[in-house]
Amino acid sequence: MSIAGVDIDLFSTAVLEEPWAAYAALRERGPAVYLDRYGVWAIPRYDEVFAMLRDHQTFSSAPVPALEPERPDMEAARHSILGSDPPRHTTLRAVLSEQLSPRALRTLRADIETQADAVVAGLVERGTYDAVQDLARRFPVEVVARLVGLPEDAREPLLALADAAFNTFGPANELTQASWSRLPEIGGYIAQVMTRETIAPGSWGAAVYAAADRGDISEPDAIQMMNAFIVAGMDTTVNSIGSAIWLLAERPDTWAALREDPSLVRSAYEEALRYESPVSFFCRGVTRPTEVGGVQLDAGDRVMLLFGAANRDERHYADADRFDVRRNPLDHVAFGGGIHGCAGQGLARIEGPAVLGALVRHVEFLELAGEPSRHLNNAVRGLERLPIATRTS
C-alpha cells in the first residue's frame, strides 16, 4: 500500500487555532500520511498511535521527541527523560517513582482539593474573572512548584519558560524563533533557583539531588530532570483545566448535569482531555523497517504521533466530535502511553477534578463573559484568555 504525500501545514496559524478539519483529512487519507513540507509521517488514527506509544524499540524517543531533533536549539533537550529509552529512561524514571506512586499521590489528594476549594471560592466572590489567568494557570503552578520545592518568590517565570521550550518541538517557524531567546533562561533558572541550597527539603527536587548524591544518576542527569520539571510539569494540567471550564461554560445543559450528578466530574475531566488534547503531538524515530497499516516505513524515518487527531478518531470513539461528560474515555492518549506516558498524569488527575469539583460545589450558573482567545504554541494546545461569569443560587 502506498500513500502519496500531502501539503498540509499543521503549524500554520489557522490549523493551530482549529486543527480538527486537517486532522479529519489526514485520518481519511490513511494510517500514515507523509507530510511533504516537513519530511515526516503523520500518524492521525487512534489504533496506530496507541500501538506506537507502546513500541519504544521500533519507535524511539531518542534523542528528543521533537519534529527536528538535530537543530542546534534542541541540544539542551537531547537525551532528557522525554528523549531517552531504556535502560537510561528506566533509571531516570525510577528517581521519582516513590513520589509519583498511587499511594503517595493519595496522600496529597485531600490537601489539593482543599487548596482548589479555597482558590475557587475566592474567585466566585468576584463574580467575573479570567478562568485561564486567575485559575487554570495559577492553581497547577502553585501545586507543582510546592511539590518540586521551589521558593514562592521564584515561580512566576515557569509557564513562560515551558511555553518557549514546547514551541521548539515544532519547526523553525516564527513561534519557535520567538522562543529561542528564552531557552538560555531555563538553564539560568535551574542554576539560580533549583539548586540543592534553594530547593525545599523533602521535595521532589530534593529527591532528585539525593539520587545524584547516592550515585543513582549523574549530576547532569539531575539537571536534566530539573529541566523536565519546568518543561513538562504543568502545561498539560494548565491547558486541560482551562479547556474543561471553557467547554462547560459553553454548554449550560452539561453544566446542569454535572451539578445534578457530581460523580461525573472525573469523567468530565477525562473527556476534556480527549476532546481538547493539551499536547498536540510528539515525534518518534523509526529504528527498523516496519509496516504501519499497510504503509512501509524505513529505518531513519520520522513519525509524528498526532494525539489530538487520535483522540477524535471516529473509528475508536463513537460521535468523536461531541463533548460528552458521560463518556469517561480512560483510554485516550492525551497523556501519551507506554513507558513514556506522562509521569505526572496521576497528579493531573487529582488537580483537574479538584478544580472542577470545587466549581460544581460553589457555582450554580457558569457562563462566558466575553470571547475566549487561543494561545498559539507549536506543540501544546490551550487558551490565553477565558472570561467567565459565575453565580451562586
Side-chain angles (χ1 to χ4, degrees), residues 330-352:
L330 293 175
D331 60 349
H332 64 70
V333 293
F335 289 123
I339 65 167
H340 286 287
C342 176
Q345 62 184 280
L347 180 61
R349 283 175 159 138
I350 294 173
E351 295 174 279

Side-chain angles (χ1 to χ4, degrees), residues 46-376:
Y46 179 91
D47 286 349
E48 287 73 26
V49 169
F50 186 90
M52 287 181 174
L53 286 169
R54 285 153 181 81
D55 184 4
H56 65 271
Q57 294 177 325
T58 306
F59 305 100
S60 173
S61 291
V64 62
L67 181 68
E68 300 169 350
E70 302 304 325
R71 279 201 328 252
D73 59 298
M74 301 308 307
E75 180 64 36
R78 290 186 193 124
H79 306 295
S80 65
I81 191 169
L82 288 177
S84 61
D85 291 317
R88 173 177 163 77
H89 178 270
T90 306
T91 300
L92 294 176
R93 187 102 172 201
V95 172
L96 290 176
S97 59
E98 182 176 345
Q99 287 80 1
L100 293 172
S101 70
R103 177 183 58 81
L105 291 175
R106 277 196 298 271
T107 66
L108 299 174
R109 185 184 302 276
D111 185 43
I112 289 173
E113 290 175 347
T114 298
Q115 291 180 66
D117 198 84
V119 171
V120 167
L123 291 174
V124 169
E125 288 184 3
R126 290 164 47 180
T128 303
Y129 53 92
D130 189 319
V132 169
Q133 299 295 326
D134 299 329
L135 181 54
R137 289 188 179 178
R138 172 187 166 189
F139 180 67
V141 171
E142 290 180 355
V143 170
V144 173
R146 180 171 52 83
L147 291 172
V148 172
L150 298 179
E152 286 190 25
D153 60 356
R155 299 172 182 178
E156 188 274 333
L158 287 173
L159 286 179
L161 295 178
D163 186 70
F166 271 120
N167 262 330
T168 66
F169 276 50
N173 57 11
E174 290 183 6
L175 288 172
T176 292
Q177 293 173 35
S179 297
W180 281 340
S181 63
R182 302 220 65 167
L183 296 184
E185 295 181 41
I186 297 176
Y189 186 89
I190 294 171
Q192 295 176 23
V193 178
M194 303 180 74
T195 66
R196 284 177 171 80
E197 294 72 31
T198 56
I199 288 290
S203 65
W204 292 359
V208 170
Y209 283 123
D213 293 338
R214 292 192 304 268
D216 297 343
I217 60 174
S218 68
E219 191 71 18
D221 284 343
I223 301 303
Q224 282 280 17
M225 293 195 69
M226 292 297 178
N227 187 309
F229 284 143
I230 295 174
V231 173
M234 290 156 289
D235 270 60
T236 300
T237 313
V238 166
N239 290 318
S240 60
I241 290 174
S243 293
I245 297 172
W246 167 53
L247 292 166
L248 292 168
E250 282 196 324
R251 295 164 172 79
D253 291 346
T254 301
W255 178 250
L258 224 58
R259 289 266 299 170
E260 183 177 340
D261 183 3
S263 70
L264 291 173
V265 162
R266 295 190 183 282
S267 174
Y269 181 64
E270 297 294 339
E271 177 70 345
L273 284 163
R274 181 198 72 84
Y275 192 82
E276 281 281 330
S277 302
V279 178
S280 302
F281 76 93
F282 274 156
C283 290
R284 298 288 190 267
V286 181
T287 64
R288 55 195 177 192
T290 190
E291 192 175 278
V292 176
V295 180
Q296 183 64 42
L297 304 184
D298 298 323
D301 283 353
R302 199 139 187 86
V303 294
M304 177 187 292
L305 309 185
L306 295 174
F307 302 140
N311 279 334
R312 295 278 193 107
D313 187 355
E314 60 280 0
R315 295 163 188 78
H316 187 77
Y317 294 110
D319 205 2
D321 287 327
R322 182 169 65 91
F323 179 71
D324 179 3
V325 297
R326 292 180 172 83
R327 191 190 302 266
N328 199 26
L330 293 175
D331 60 349
H332 64 70
V333 293
F335 289 123
I339 65 167
H340 286 287
C342 176
Q345 62 184 280
L347 180 61
R349 283 175 159 138
I350 294 173
E351 295 174 279
V355 170
L356 296 186
L359 284 167
V360 165
R361 287 190 297 275
H362 288 282
V363 173
E364 182 171 359
F365 300 102
L366 174 73
E367 58 190 8
L368 296 178
E371 191 67 25
S373 62
R374 177 69 54 189
H375 177 75
L376 294 187

